[in-house]
Amino acid sequence: MITILLNQKYEIYPNEKQKEMLDRWLQYCRQTYNSALLDKQRKYNR
């Protein structure tokens, strides 16, 4: 089986309101990831 990975980059120019929304979503994603990672580490250590 052959797997081909493609990558594309897009540059965006958000206005101030959009920047605030993006920052809020990134914060939610970081919190969720870190919470899941901590949970995984705690389960591993048991």
Side-chain angles (χ1 to χ4, degrees):
M1 185 168 100
I2 298 174
T3 303
I4 298 174
L5 300 176
L6 300 176
N7 187 0
Q8 294 182 3
K9 291 184 181 183
Y10 295 93
E11 193 163 343
I12 60 173
Y13 304 98
N15 61 34
E16 286 303 314
K17 186 175 179 182
Q18 292 168 329
K19 284 180 187 178
E20 291 172 12
M21 181 69 76
L22 289 169
D23 286 341
R24 199 172 317 130
W25 276 102
L26 286 172
Q27 182 64 27
Y28 293 151
C29 291
R30 280 191 295 269
Q31 289 173 348
T32 303
Y33 176 82
N34 288 334
S35 177
L37 182 60
L38 182 60
D39 188 46
K40 180 182 174 183
Q41 289 171 339
R42 287 179 177 162
K43 287 181 181 178
Y44 178 80
N45 288 332
R46 278 195 228 151

